């Protein structure tokens, strides 16, 4: 569950008349249940790789297989559906809907699941918020929450559909030390208790410590491959 | 002035927004000037009408005729130089009964000299050389003068109806029943823009005979040796007929024309109010849009200030942006309205072709500038007062 | 599958100034549309209501209105004796040969002069028109130099108050009563007795003959009979058709001008609405990208923003209707150049007209939101993500 195979992936962006190769023949394997940290200097393509794995973008060439499904070949409509069912995203800037409450934000992905009643959605959202420890903040708006709390709501949203993958892009980038540690603790729990495969892009050495494995990117290719403590 | 390229770049940064805002300003001003044009046209028709000529009608209303016997009496009043008369015919063209145009039966030998400076003859049927015309009448009208069922039509009317010089046309009389044939012997063109070119004139004698001598006079028109005597002489004429069974009402031609304009009542005023309301509401939206656009760029202004641009420069820059949009839109809208309205040859029926005065166009542009100032001032002031530190902190 | 409505509603509420300004702009267009339709409606209503479906009017052949018509006494008598003419309760035929002239009078409040219709009627004249009600004063006494003035003229012109005198060709007539006529065109007329008016004004010729049809279904046959009678030289029309035909040109002009103005305004409002939507969507590109990431399809996004645009427009529609309503019932007047006389009428807003206004608002919202919504749905995910 959550086995990722990245095979010889190239991603080229076109900027006006220029072609910029961001990833250049990258191959990577992630086992189901692994917690991987992607690190590297800015411009190295970490976020691009994350986006490709998550089906937000598609490679120029190569294949990306998650549990046997080659997402590189899915049409955009199918890709959306696959994404909704299989991936949970966490962003540096949280990306919550400012006009929706915490509960409504968490329930949002459930609207894409067929056959769920409003009541069921509410229960699932509350449950997810309970897991991240925000059970009493259901009807707060994002502007009424601290940065750390917002990120927790975002995490709840990421897990509410029970996806196989959790992809995090600099989840602690905007947080102070203690909030960052709380978030990292949560991610650890999700990986250990709920067996979620986590791929996390980060600059934070503390964050890197929590991961099973570190992957370094430089100029679109892997440079080192090693496990941490 | 060095700021101008920067202003341009800022405007081009979000082309879509700039274009849309300019377009909405354009439309608002277009409509504003268009509606004002209607009022302009009605006013112009009174300006054109003369203060040198007076019109005498039946005191009760235009609907009542005047007896021919009044002609000699009016002529005899000291200060009156020439007198003519005309009758409204009110016929319909059976070929196209919906299109309206005016027809007048006039005493040609005295009528055309009265209006010699206002119209010119564009086309005329030829007459044998040496055919005499009455004094003051354009010699080109010789053929017309010597044929009892001849008529003179306006250039535009000829074009609209597809008529030709020398053609015989028929009109159905409504007041004077029956089918009336006429031969087109001349085509006139007005020398003044506000005068219309869609009227038809024919001989009053023709009307008199064919109506079994029933026709009387519609209005008398006369000119004065000294136009400053208009009021006095007018009163004198009316006093002459006051106690007769056909009391008269005499006024300058301009006042007479103004009477027709006032028949429209409130409508011109209503139209102007609409124009103003429309311009205002669309401007409101454009203004809010511009304000929002500028507020989103506090970051840029802060950066400009760090580079060394002073508060005054930033203020002018923002104002210039708002001004550029409203001025462009306003200019284009006002000018297009004038151009379009005057080109299409639309008429206010019975008056003249549409006119838009230049000072209305200027008014439109002025309104646009005002709106530019209104929508640009507040954000310009805010941008200029921005403290660099606060603005840069707001990033992300 | 769909993005929750609450998202759009709350987004709209979260941008109060922009929303209100756009809604107001759309509201103005709707208000003008409603008022233009109401004006034409009021005008048409005034003239269509004029005349009874059971009455017919006789004019001279070829005349386009009473003003240019002339019917002789002999012709009037021939018509009076026609068996198709209905008789009244006292056994007299319900016929009113009438004279019509215009007099030039000053409007109130210095608005300048205009032409007022004076109608000389026979005794049966009032009985023929069902809606006539004298609300002030009394009817004209037979043989007296007196006038009955329609409400719209009394309200809008100088010199027609009760007891005031009108000079008609050296004879002074006293205004003895004011009447209403069910809002019809007759309220813009001044009535007097034929026998008294004719010698003063026009002499021996009538302008028209109006009578009640004994059997309205036999109109076509009667028309043929009268129009082919060589002694008469007349045309026959249903009274209602005659007046509504006179209203036609002016009502059409009003509608045309009104719709033209509204169309131009609508274009302006459209640009403004589009602009606002683009701005509002532009500032939410991260939210849009997030929703696309979560798996909402571009179709759902496009629909959501279309709905948002239409919500704002709906608000605008309501504002527009509210702006227009106070004007309802306001009277105005102008000269109907078909009759060359003053016709007063009032704005008449109906539920249908309000409905048209709301529909128009929604349409503006839809068209104005189309491009921005489509652009939002086409937002390239990855590009927006990189900006994050």
């Amino acid at each position: 569950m959550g086995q990722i195979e990245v095979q010889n992936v190239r991603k080229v962006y076109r900027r006006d008349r220029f072609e910029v190769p961001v990833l250049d023949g990258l191959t990577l394997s992630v086992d189901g249940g692994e917690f991987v940290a992607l690190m590297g200097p800015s411009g190295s393509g970490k976020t691009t790789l994350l986006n490709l794995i998550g089906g937000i973008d598609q490679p120029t060439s190569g294949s990306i297989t998650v549990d046997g499904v080659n997402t590189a070949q899915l049409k955009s409509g199918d890709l959306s559906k696959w994404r909704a069912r299989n991936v949970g995203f966490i962003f540096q800037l949280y990306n919550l809907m400012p006009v929706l409450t915490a509960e409504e934000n968490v329930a949002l992905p459930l609207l894409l699941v067929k056959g769920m009643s409003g009541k069921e959605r509410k229960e699932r959202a509350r449950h997810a918020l309970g897991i991240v420890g925000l059970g009493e903040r259901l009807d707060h708006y994002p502007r009424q929450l601290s940065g750390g709390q917002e990120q927790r709501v975002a995490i709840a949203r990421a897990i509410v559909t029970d996806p196989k993958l959790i992809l995090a892009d600099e989840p602690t980038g905007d947080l102070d030390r203690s909030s960052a540690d709380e978030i990292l603790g949560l991610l650890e729990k999700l990986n250990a208790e709920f067996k979620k495969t986590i791929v996390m892009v980060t600059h934070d050495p503390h964050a890197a410590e929590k991961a099973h494995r570190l992957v370094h990117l430089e100029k679109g290719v892997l440079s080192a491959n090693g496990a941490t403590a | 002035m060095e700021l101008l390229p920067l202003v341009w770049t800022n405007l081009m940064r979000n082309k879509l927004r700039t274009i849309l805002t300019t377009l909405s300003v354009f439309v608002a001003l277009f409509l504003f000037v268009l509606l004002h044009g209607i009022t302009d046209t009605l006013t112009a028709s009174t300006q054109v009408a003369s203060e040198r000529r007076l019109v005498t009608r039946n005191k009760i209303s235009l609907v009542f005729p005047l007896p021919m016997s009044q002609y000699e009496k009016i002529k005899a009043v000291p200060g009156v130089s020439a007198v003519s008369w005309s009758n409204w015919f009110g016929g319909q063209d059976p070929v196209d009964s919906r299109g309206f145009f005016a027809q007048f039966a006039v005493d040609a030998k005295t009528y055309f000299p009265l209006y010699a400076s206002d119209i010119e003859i564009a086309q005329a049927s030829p007459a044998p050389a040496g055919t005499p015309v009455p004094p003051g009448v354009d010699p080109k009208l010789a053929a017309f003068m010597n044929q009892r069922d001849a008529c003179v039509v306006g250039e535009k009317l000829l074009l609209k109806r597809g008529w030709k010089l020398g053609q015989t046309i028929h009109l159905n009389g409504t007041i004077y029943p029956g089918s009336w044939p006429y031969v087109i012997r001349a085509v006139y063109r007005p020398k003044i823009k506000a005068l219309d070119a869609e009227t038809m004139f024919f001989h009053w004698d023709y009307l008199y005979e064919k109506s079994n001598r029933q026709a009387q006079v519609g209005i008398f028109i006369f000119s004065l040796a000294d136009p400053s005597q208009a009021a006095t002489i007018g009163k004198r004429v009316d006093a002459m007929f006051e106690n007769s069974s056909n009391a008269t009402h005499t006024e300058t031609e301009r006042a007479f024309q103004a009477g027709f304009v006032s028949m429209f009542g409130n409508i011109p005023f209503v139209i102007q109010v609409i124009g103003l309301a429309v311009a205002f509401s669309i401007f409101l939206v454009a203004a809010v849009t511009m304000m929002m656009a500028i507020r989103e760029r506090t970051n840029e202004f802060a950066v400009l200030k760090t580079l060394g641009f002073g508060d005054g420069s930033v203020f002018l820059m923002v104002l210039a942006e708002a001004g550029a949009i409203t001025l462009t839109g306003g200019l284009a809208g006002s000018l297009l309205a004038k151009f379009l309205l005057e080109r299409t040859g639309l008429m206010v029926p019975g008056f003249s072709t549409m006119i838009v005065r230049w000072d209305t166009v200027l008014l439109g542009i002025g309104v646009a500038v005002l709106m530019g100032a209104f929508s640009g001032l507040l954000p310009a002031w805010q941008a200029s007062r921005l403290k660099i530190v606060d603005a840069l902190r707001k990033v992300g | 599958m769909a993005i929750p409505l609450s998202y759009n509603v709350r987004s709209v509420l979260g941008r109060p100034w922009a929303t209100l300004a756009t809604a107001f702009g759309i509201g103005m267009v709707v208000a003008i549309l409603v008022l233009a339709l109401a004006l034409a409606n009021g005008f048409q209503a005034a003239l269509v209501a004029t005349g009874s479906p059971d009455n017919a009017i006789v004019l001279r052949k070829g005349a386009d209105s009473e003003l240019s018509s002339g019917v002789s006494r002999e012709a009037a008598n021939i018509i009076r004796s026609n068996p198709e003419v209905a008789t009244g309760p006292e056994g007299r035929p319900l016929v009113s040969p009438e004279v019509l002239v215009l007099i030039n009078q000053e409007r109130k409040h210095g608005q300048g002069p205009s032409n007022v219709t004076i109608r000389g009627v026979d005794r049966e004249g009032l009985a023929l028109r069902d809606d006539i009600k004298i609300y002030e004063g009394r009817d004209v006494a037979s043989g007296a130099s007196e006038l009955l003035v329609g409400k719209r003229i009394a309200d809008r012109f100088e010199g027609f108050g009760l007891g005031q005198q009108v000079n008609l060709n050296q004879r002074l007539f006293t205004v003895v009563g004011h009447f209403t006529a069910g809002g019809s065109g007759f309220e813009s007329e001044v009535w007097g007795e034929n026998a008294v008016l004719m010698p003063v004004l026009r002499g021996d010729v009538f302008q028209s003959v109006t009578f009640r049809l004994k059997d309205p279904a036999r109109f076509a046959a009667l028309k043929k009979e009268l129009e082919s009678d060589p002694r008469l030289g007349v045309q026959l029309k249903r009274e209602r058709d005659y007046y509504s035909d006179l209203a036609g040109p002016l009502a059409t002009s009003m509608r045309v001008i009104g719709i033209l103005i509204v169309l131009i305004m609508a274009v302006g409002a459209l640009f403004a609405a589009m602009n606002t939507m683009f701005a509002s969507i532009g500032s939410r590109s991260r939210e849009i990208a997030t929703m696309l990431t979560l798996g909402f399809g571009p179709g759902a996004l496009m629909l959501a923003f279309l709905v948002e645009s239409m919500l704002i427009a709906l608000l605008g529609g309501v504002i527009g209707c509210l702006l227009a309503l106070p004007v309802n019932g306001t009277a105005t007047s102008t000269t109907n150049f078909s009759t060359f006389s003053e016709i007063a009428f009032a704005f008449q807003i109906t539920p249908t007209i309000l409905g048209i206004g709301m529909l128009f608002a929604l349409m503006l919202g839809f068209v104005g939101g189309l491009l921005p919504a489509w652009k939002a749905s086409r937002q390239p995910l990855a590009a927006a993500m990189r900006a994050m």
Side-chain angles (χ1 to χ4, degrees):
Chain A
M1 285 289 277
Q3 165 91 14
I4 308 172
E5 292 290 338
V6 178
Q7 288 280 0
N8 205 12
V9 152
R10 278 193 86 230
K11 181 66 189 176
V12 178
Y13 284 117
R14 191 160 286 120
R15 267 278 153 134
D16 299 331
R17 264 170 291 120
F18 301 111
E19 284 198 356
V20 182
V22 179
L23 296 177
D24 209 356
L26 195 143
T27 300
L28 173 68
S29 270
V30 176
D31 289 327
E34 252 201 289
F35 188 157
V36 174
L38 288 179
M39 303 185 77
S42 65
S44 55
K46 327 186 279 295
T47 301
T48 307
L49 180 57
L50 202 72
N51 289 348
L52 290 177
I53 294 173
I56 295 180
D57 202 353
Q58 287 179 302
T60 314
S61 69
S63 76
I64 301 187
T65 314
V66 178
D67 285 341
V69 176
N70 186 351
T71 60
Q73 302 202 316
L74 288 180
K75 286 211 284 279
S76 77
D78 298 324
L79 196 56
S80 288
K81 291 205 187 85
W82 177 86
R83 214 167 43 233
R85 229 175 299 130
N86 294 291
V87 187
F89 279 92
I90 303 165
F91 304 99
Q92 178 178 347
L93 297 175
Y94 333 126
N95 287 345
L96 298 176
M97 301 297 145
V99 298
L100 298 178
T101 62
E103 185 183 319
E104 288 167 340
N105 263 296
V106 175
L108 203 52
L110 294 174
L111 288 167
L112 295 162
V113 176
K114 293 205 174 78
M116 262 196 140
S117 73
K119 200 154 163 264
E120 285 173 323
R121 284 200 292 271
K122 253 187 170 172
E123 274 176 39
R124 287 276 286 261
R126 283 191 196 171
H127 183 68
L129 281 166
I131 293 177
V132 304
L134 280 180
E136 302 93 54
R137 297 265 187 262
L138 297 173
D139 36 350
H140 280 59
Y141 286 93
R143 64 176 177 275
Q144 295 167 315
L145 301 171
S146 73
Q149 289 168 331
E150 281 194 73
Q151 193 60 295
R152 283 198 265 168
V153 174
I155 292 177
R157 180 180 67 187
I159 60 171
V160 79
T161 53
D162 202 21
K164 304 173 188 169
L165 293 183
I166 297 194
L167 304 177
D169 195 349
E170 310 267 11
T172 58
D174 234 47
L175 300 172
D176 61 75
R177 192 65 262 158
S178 68
S179 304
D181 286 338
E182 277 180 23
I183 297 302
L184 291 171
L186 250 179
L187 288 177
E188 218 179 8
K189 177 172 154 181
L190 290 176
N191 177 249
E193 263 185 58
F194 298 92
K195 307 285 184 251
K196 302 284 182 208
T197 309
I198 302 185
V199 180
M200 178 177 67
V201 165
T202 186
H203 278 133
D204 186 352
H206 286 249
E209 277 171 25
K210 303 280 184 191
H212 296 156
R213 180 158 62 115
L214 275 182
V215 172
H216 280 273
L217 265 105
E218 233 180 284
K219 295 209 184 90
V221 282
L222 300 179
S223 61
N225 216 328
T228 57
Chain B
M1 278 303 116
E2 334 75 61
L3 292 174
L4 281 177
L6 210 60
V7 173
W8 175 257
T9 328
N10 284 332
L11 286 173
M12 287 297 108
R13 179 192 309 269
N14 190 341
K15 286 201 196 77
L16 190 62
R17 173 183 283 171
T18 304
I19 290 175
L20 281 178
T21 316
T22 311
L23 276 174
S24 30
V25 171
F26 166 79
V27 171
L29 255 311
F30 179 79
L31 195 58
F32 179 76
V33 171
L34 199 89
L35 293 175
H36 254 271
I38 296 178
T39 327
D40 279 353
T41 311
L42 293 177
T43 323
S45 67
T46 61
Q47 303 294 31
V48 143
S50 171
E51 300 242 286
R52 308 180 128 259
R53 288 185 290 258
L54 276 83
V55 173
T56 299
R57 63 159 169 89
N58 191 305
K59 188 171 184 193
I60 306 177
S61 79
L62 252 185
V63 154
F64 291 88
L66 292 171
M68 186 57 74
S69 57
Q70 291 183 342
Y71 174 72
E72 290 299 332
K73 297 207 181 107
I74 295 174
K75 195 140 187 264
V77 172
V80 171
S81 49
V83 186
S84 184
W85 65 89
S86 89
N87 263 33
W88 171 266
F89 181 66
Q92 284 175 341
D93 181 2
V95 171
D96 175 10
S97 58
R98 275 181 312 128
F100 164 86
F101 65 101
Q103 311 110 32
F104 292 102
V106 301
D107 180 48
K109 64 182 184 300
T110 51
Y111 190 84
F112 284 96
L114 267 181
Y115 288 95
S117 53
D118 295 337
I119 60 172
E120 61 187 1
I121 305 300
Q123 299 175 46
S125 291
T131 312
V133 281
V137 176
D138 190 322
K140 293 208 201 106
L141 287 173
F144 163 73
M145 293 304 297
N146 286 291
Q147 186 171 346
R148 61 182 260 291
D149 59 350
C151 66
V152 182
V153 301
E155 208 171 28
K156 265 226 184 96
L157 183 62
L158 191 81
L159 263 150
K160 257 192 185 171
R161 303 254 155 185
W163 292 338
K164 289 194 189 24
L165 191 65
Q167 183 177 343
T168 304
I169 57 171
H170 288 84
L171 294 180
N172 287 337
T174 54
I175 308 171
Y176 306 95
S179 177
W180 292 65
Y182 302 91
V183 185
I184 303 175
R185 283 298 175 209
V187 179
Y188 82 86
R189 177 190 302 141
K191 283 197 201 154
I192 314 169
K193 198 156 55 141
L195 216 55
D196 84 287
E198 298 202 27
T199 308
M200 175 182 137
F201 300 96
F202 63 95
H203 292 290
W204 186 86
D205 289 334
Y206 185 50
L207 178 70
Y208 186 60
E209 284 167 39
K210 257 191 88 119
S211 65
N212 288 327
R213 307 188 167 214
Q214 294 296 307
Q216 292 181 283
V217 170
I219 51 173
F220 286 106
I221 310 138
F222 57 96
S223 59
L224 302 172
D226 179 5
S228 68
Q229 292 298 306
T232 330
I233 296 184
K235 286 206 187 76
R236 160 113 32 94
V237 170
D238 289 341
M240 266 199 309
F241 303 113
E242 179 125 16
N243 295 311
S244 75
S245 51
N246 289 290
T248 58
H249 176 80
T250 307
E251 57 195 341
T252 63
E253 196 179 45
R254 184 170 290 187
F256 179 69
Q257 186 65 21
F260 284 101
V261 172
S262 84
M263 281 194 192
F264 276 113
N266 253 346
I267 305 290
F269 171 72
V270 167
I271 291 180
Q272 275 191 297
V273 168
I274 294 176
L276 212 66
V278 166
F280 173 71
S281 64
I282 293 185
F283 263 125
L284 195 67
V285 182
V288 170
T289 309
M290 284 192 272
M291 284 197 239
M292 282 188 331
I294 287 166
R295 206 172 304 149
E296 282 169 16
R297 286 162 35 203
T298 43
N299 195 21
E300 285 168 40
F301 297 125
V303 172
L304 281 172
K305 287 198 181 179
T306 48
L307 291 178
F309 286 91
D311 291 353
S313 299
V314 173
F315 181 86
L316 285 174
M317 229 180 66
V318 174
L319 208 60
E321 271 183 55
I325 290 179
T326 49
L327 203 66
T328 314
L331 208 70
S334 304
L335 287 175
L336 192 71
K338 177 174 167 69
F339 178 76
L340 220 62
L341 212 56
E342 293 185 347
R343 269 309 146 99
T344 55
L346 271 174
M347 261 179 73
V348 176
F351 287 80
S352 72
T353 38
M354 296 285 249
I355 288 180
V356 177
R357 292 177 18 198
W358 279 111
D359 49 345
T360 301
V361 175
L362 274 157
L363 177 68
I365 296 173
V367 170
V369 168
L370 206 74
M371 281 302 175
F374 165 71
S375 53
L377 266 172
L378 184 62
W381 185 77
Q382 283 179 331
S384 70
R385 301 267 275 104
L386 208 55
K387 294 229 187 346
I388 302 175
V389 183
D390 295 332
L392 287 178
R393 209 187 301 152
K394 274 198 195 160
V395 175
Chain C
M1 275 310 271
I3 292 169
L5 192 63
S6 49
Y7 170 70
N8 296 111
V9 172
R10 288 185 220 165
S11 299
V12 165
L13 293 174
R15 310 174 69 91
W17 289 119
T19 301
L20 263 174
T22 313
F24 187 74
I26 293 180
M28 285 302 299
V29 184
V30 171
I32 303 292
L33 175 65
V34 166
L35 288 178
L37 290 177
L39 197 66
N41 191 34
F43 177 68
Q44 196 121 50
L47 260 83
V48 161
T50 306
S52 156
D54 298 332
N55 286 353
I57 185 168
V58 174
L59 300 163
R60 180 175 56 202
K61 196 170 288 220
D64 54 354
S65 75
E66 286 176 282
L67 214 55
S68 45
S69 166
V71 179
S72 66
R73 268 193 199 280
E74 297 82 55
N77 284 332
I78 293 171
I79 293 166
R80 184 189 292 267
S81 56
N82 191 299
E84 292 295 336
V85 172
T87 42
E90 286 133 46
R92 283 204 304 271
L94 278 170
V95 179
S96 176
E98 297 177 347
V99 289
L100 193 102
V101 295
L102 302 178
I103 63 171
N104 199 267
Q105 292 284 107
E106 283 287 330
R107 284 204 199 93
K108 282 189 181 165
H109 314 302
Q111 289 214 334
S114 190
N115 291 332
V116 175
T117 300
I118 302 222
R119 183 183 295 274
V121 303
D122 235 21
R123 273 288 94 205
E124 315 305 325
L126 268 102
L128 267 179
R129 281 97 178 192
D130 302 321
D131 288 328
I132 310 289
K133 273 184 195 44
I134 298 173
Y135 66 91
E136 263 180 353
R138 56 166 177 83
D139 193 1
V140 168
S142 188
S145 300
E146 296 176 345
L147 295 174
L148 207 58
V149 175
K151 179 178 197 316
R152 296 264 157 95
I153 299 298
D155 287 345
R156 305 182 73 82
F157 280 81
E158 295 281 0
F160 287 104
L162 286 181
Q164 286 190 286
Q165 299 200 304
V166 181
N167 184 334
L168 296 175
N169 233 359
Q170 313 304 29
R171 180 94 82 92
L172 288 173
F173 282 72
T174 314
V175 176
V176 297
H178 291 158
F179 70 91
T180 55
S184 73
F186 291 130
E187 283 183 18
S188 299
E189 294 184 354
V190 173
W191 287 14
E193 205 183 33
N194 245 342
V196 182
L197 281 172
M198 283 177 81
V200 172
L201 295 173
R202 280 265 192 149
D204 234 30
V205 170
F206 300 111
Q207 265 62 62
S208 64
V209 180
T210 305
F211 63 89
R212 177 75 48 95
L213 294 160
K214 193 176 265 175
D215 180 1
R218 298 223 351 116
F219 174 78
L222 182 61
K223 180 175 162 81
K224 215 183 197 164
E225 180 192 330
L226 290 178
E227 287 185 355
S228 51
D229 189 334
R231 303 171 293 169
L232 296 174
V234 297
Q235 53 173 310
L236 188 70
K237 282 187 172 180
R238 287 191 198 270
E239 193 183 28
R240 231 186 218 167
D241 292 342
Y242 169 67
Y243 286 106
S244 88
D245 285 348
L246 287 176
L250 191 55
T252 311
S253 319
M254 274 198 261
R255 282 219 182 82
V256 166
I257 293 178
I259 291 179
L260 219 75
I261 293 178
V262 166
L263 279 176
I264 298 176
M265 281 183 76
V267 171
L270 212 71
F271 288 138
M274 246 195 265
N275 215 359
T276 314
M277 279 309 289
F278 270 121
S280 138
I281 287 173
S283 68
R284 281 183 283 170
S285 58
R286 266 206 294 136
E287 289 171 40
I288 295 170
T290 306
M291 283 200 272
L292 287 169
T293 307
L294 290 177
F296 288 97
L301 267 163
M302 182 160 172
L303 184 65
F305 286 115
L306 264 178
V307 167
E308 196 170 307
S309 179
M310 286 168 81
L311 278 173
I312 300 177
L314 207 74
L315 179 65
V318 171
I319 291 176
C321 291
L322 289 175
L323 282 174
L325 279 172
V327 185
N328 195 23
T330 310
T332 185
S333 67
T334 190
T335 301
N336 182 0
F337 280 89
S338 300
T339 60
F340 206 47
S341 67
E342 181 87 354
I343 178 76
F345 46 97
F347 286 89
Q348 247 191 35
I349 299 179
T350 63
T352 314
I353 289 178
L354 287 175
I356 295 176
M358 292 302 293
L359 225 70
F360 191 72
L362 278 175
M363 203 194 67
L364 273 180
F366 180 80
V367 176
L370 213 56
L371 211 61
W374 186 82
K375 191 160 176 269
S377 70
R378 288 260 151 269
Q379 188 173 298
L381 241 190
M385 283 296 169
R386 262 184 293 126
M388 296 197 227

